[in-house]
Amino acid sequence: MTQHSSALGRNDLAVLLLILLVATVLRTAGLNAPLWYDEIWTVDTHVSLPWGDMMREYSMNHHYFFSMKAKLVSQIFGDQPWAYRFPAVLFGVGIVAAIWWLARDTAGTKAAHISALLVALSYHQVWFSQNARGYTELAFWSALGLIFFLRGTRRPTISIWVAFGLTATAAVFTHLTGAFFFVALGLVWLVSLATGFGRPALSRDWVLQPLIGVAIACVLILFVYLPLFPSLIGTMGEVATTSAVDPMQEYQNPIWTVLEGLRTAVGNTGPLTMVVAIGGLIALAFGAMGAHSTQPLFFPAIAMHIIVTLVILLSLDMRIWPRFFFVDIGPVIILAVVGCSHGANTVARAIRHPRIGGPLFATSVVAMVAVSVFLVQRNYSAPKQNLAGAFTLVEETRSPSDRVYAINPGGPIFGNHFDADWTTLGDPESYAKAMAQSGPLTLVVLFPGRMFRTIPQLKQDTEGQLDFVHAFPGTLGDGDVLVYRRN
């Protein structure tokens, strides 16, 4: 694969539009499914606030730039799950176009079509495109930032670096962790500046123009976060404290992050998991080699973001959620496509049958598309987390004397969002007091994996005192909602 001219043919445009149509259909199907825990918190504690109050308090749960769009859409179309998620859909489709653009710059039009199609079909991309949170927006701005960065380091112009500064601002305003990606790009630029790796002949523009883009980003980021700055400092100081007492200590382990990412990507597919993992690593290795000839800074940029993110999260004792690496999915898919092409050609040369390279590459592409189609269907097997279904079941079946308890690690989400008269239990002491009272009761358990570990007695009681009523499955990790009753 080689870079093509900047001209875009009508056939290429038609292919791109068809891929974007597929992406739109996949991201709008089932869009009005019940909101899950984090989405509800976003709506209740941020989006539902008056415009003037949305920027008064910092929270790691808020995606500020995204929430403004979600609020605007919900005010126009009403309080509906799809309305809160609609901006995520737009940016989710936008990512497909941005990855097409990035892949075309990196490896040509053929790679762009294949990469965009795989992103359109990606399970994670569809899942987050139907999530009332700012991850697809963050990935969109990051992809644009990478495009401008790679173009600016090859042929620097002031307009490219101004655009880079604006995309960096948009990404960081969406969520503070957006800074990780642009810090990584800055480090790659410094390495290139110091070593000469991946850059043309050194010039004043090559040095000064990126600094102008960075200056624009810094000024604008400080401006948009200025109202939140005191609250931001206090929140960041509390992150390590809450992580230290988290019963799910594995969430701070990078190995768990890798395994969880693989589990959510492939699911319980037995031997296919290992095949996909090994095949993916081989493709990425070939991709790093294949991309080097056209965009030598492409792979270092991806690798640097992963390193920077891990270093920052580990140094702050924060949980290493796989979603912190969501912005890397699109570029990694490009690497895999380039790797399949480069690997097929390498094999063809090694066995001295150059004509076999094309069929080998085509076979690998068909395999990747087939696996993606198989996996993306899981998005529609259940809601992310069916809190609304659990609420309806309990309210329709409870007796007047029933006490209802929601067992979850956060606040009274059912009371705030569903106007339920339920009590929230989140620790062993409050659970013991509730169980000590006589009479019928109903327990609604959110995040059962976490809560069974937080309240060991709860797990024991589900095997004796409590009768199992219903399980509401969810595609979210540990997203099942379990209902138990004691008569």
Side-chain angles (χ1 to χ4, degrees):
M1 292 182 181
T2 57
Q3 285 184 294
H4 291 191
S5 66
S6 59
L8 180 62
R10 291 199 310 181
N11 290 341
D12 293 331
L13 180 59
V15 171
L16 173 59
L17 292 177
L18 180 60
I19 293 171
L20 293 177
L21 177 61
V22 171
T24 302
V25 170
L26 291 175
R27 284 151 180 76
T28 53
L31 189 62
N32 210 38
L35 299 174
W36 73 282
Y37 193 88
D38 277 5
E39 291 178 304
I40 291 175
W41 271 120
T42 296
V43 170
D44 289 357
T45 66
H46 196 212
V47 177
S48 62
L49 296 178
W51 284 100
D53 294 337
M54 292 179 67
M55 293 295 293
R56 291 188 178 179
E57 183 177 352
Y58 180 79
S59 170
M60 290 292 288
N61 192 61
H62 294 339
H63 296 186
Y64 292 93
F65 203 17
F66 174 87
S67 293
M68 291 178 176
K69 303 174 187 66
K71 182 176 182 63
L72 179 62
V73 175
S74 64
Q75 285 188 332
I76 295 173
F77 295 103
D79 180 19
Q80 299 291 330
W82 74 263
Y84 295 119
R85 292 167 173 159
F86 189 69
V89 173
L90 294 180
F91 284 106
V93 176
I95 292 172
V96 178
I99 291 303
W100 183 92
W101 184 5
L102 178 59
R104 191 165 184 263
D105 277 3
T106 303
T109 306
K110 183 188 295 185
H113 292 332
I114 298 169
S115 300
L117 178 60
L118 290 173
V119 171
L121 297 172
S122 165
Y123 167 80
H124 287 104
Q125 291 284 346
V126 175
W127 199 96
F128 280 98
S129 294
Q130 298 185 326
N131 188 26
R133 314 276 280 130
Y135 294 106
T136 55
E137 180 173 5
L138 183 59
F140 174 78
W141 296 124
S142 299
L144 285 188
L146 182 54
I147 291 170
F148 295 137
F149 173 79
L150 294 175
R151 289 192 168 194
T153 52
R154 290 176 68 89
R155 298 181 182 86
T157 65
I158 189 64
S159 59
I160 285 179
W161 285 108
V162 168
F164 176 84
L166 295 176
T167 55
T169 302
V172 178
F173 189 33
T174 301
H175 197 266
L176 202 59
T177 55
F180 298 174
F181 190 83
F182 290 88
V183 168
L185 295 182
L187 293 176
V188 171
W189 177 78
L190 288 174
V191 171
S192 180
L193 177 64
T195 65
F197 175 80
R199 67 168 168 80
L202 189 61
S203 65
R204 185 176 66 175
D205 287 346
W206 200 93
V207 176
L208 293 181
Q209 289 180 2
L211 295 178
I212 293 174
V214 171
I216 290 172
C218 290
V219 170
L220 292 177
I221 290 169
L222 287 174
F223 176 76
V224 296
Y225 272 109
L226 190 61
L228 297 166
F229 196 73
S231 176
L232 189 155
I233 298 299
T235 300
M236 295 306 295
E238 297 171 358
V239 169
T241 302
T242 57
S243 297
V245 298
D246 192 339
M248 312 296 282
Q249 287 296 303
E250 62 267 31
Y251 290 173
Q252 301 171 50
N253 188 332
I255 296 176
W256 173 86
T257 305
V258 172
L259 295 177
E260 179 66 8
L262 185 62
R263 182 195 68 79
T264 56
V266 182
N268 299 319
T269 52
L272 180 60
T273 302
M274 189 58 64
V275 171
V276 171
I278 295 174
L281 289 175
I282 294 173
L284 294 180
F286 276 110
M289 294 185 286
H292 177 77
S293 60
T294 56
Q295 289 284 12
L297 297 183
F298 179 65
F299 173 72
I302 301 171
M304 186 65 76
H305 174 247
I306 295 172
I307 294 170
V308 166
T309 301
L310 285 174
V311 168
I312 293 176
L313 296 178
L314 289 171
S315 64
L316 295 176
D317 293 326
M318 291 179 64
R319 303 172 185 90
I320 308 174
W321 301 114
R323 60 178 176 260
F324 287 134
F325 305 94
F326 177 72
V327 301
D328 299 307
I329 291 178
V332 165
I333 286 175
I334 296 175
L335 270 181
V337 172
V338 174
C340 288
S341 175
H342 186 68
N345 291 332
T346 300
V347 171
R349 287 193 299 268
I351 64 176
R352 298 182 180 179
H353 285 283
R355 292 185 179 180
I356 203 174
L360 282 177
F361 175 58
T363 300
S364 65
V365 170
V366 170
M368 288 190 293
V369 171
V371 170
S372 298
V373 170
F374 172 73
L375 295 175
V376 76
Q377 299 175 59
R378 288 184 295 136
N379 276 293
Y380 314 106
S381 62
K384 289 175 170 57
Q385 187 182 41
N386 198 354
L387 302 180
F391 171 75
T392 300
L393 172 70
V394 171
E395 289 299 311
E396 289 180 348
T397 59
R398 66 184 295 191
S399 66
S401 60
D402 254 358
R403 290 174 288 122
V404 182
Y405 297 98
I407 300 183
N408 74 81
I413 194 167
F414 283 101
N416 293 338
H417 191 75
F418 296 97
D419 294 325
D421 60 341
W422 301 3
T423 301
T424 299
L425 306 178
D427 56 73
E429 292 75 20
S430 60
Y431 174 77
K433 290 180 181 178
M435 293 295 289
Q437 300 179 45
S438 60
L441 58 81
T442 298
L443 301 179
V444 181
V445 183
L446 285 64
F447 306 104
R450 170 186 287 273
M451 298 316 298
F452 286 154
R453 191 179 302 185
T454 302
I455 309 175
Q457 186 60 44
L458 170 64
K459 179 63 175 176
Q460 297 180 28
D461 290 345
T462 61
E463 300 169 356
Q465 291 192 48
L466 299 171
D467 297 323
F468 175 73
V469 177
H470 194 77
F472 293 89
T475 59
L476 175 73
D478 198 20
D480 292 354
V481 182
L482 309 180
V483 180
Y484 295 92
R485 183 163 291 153
R486 186 188 71 185
N487 296 317

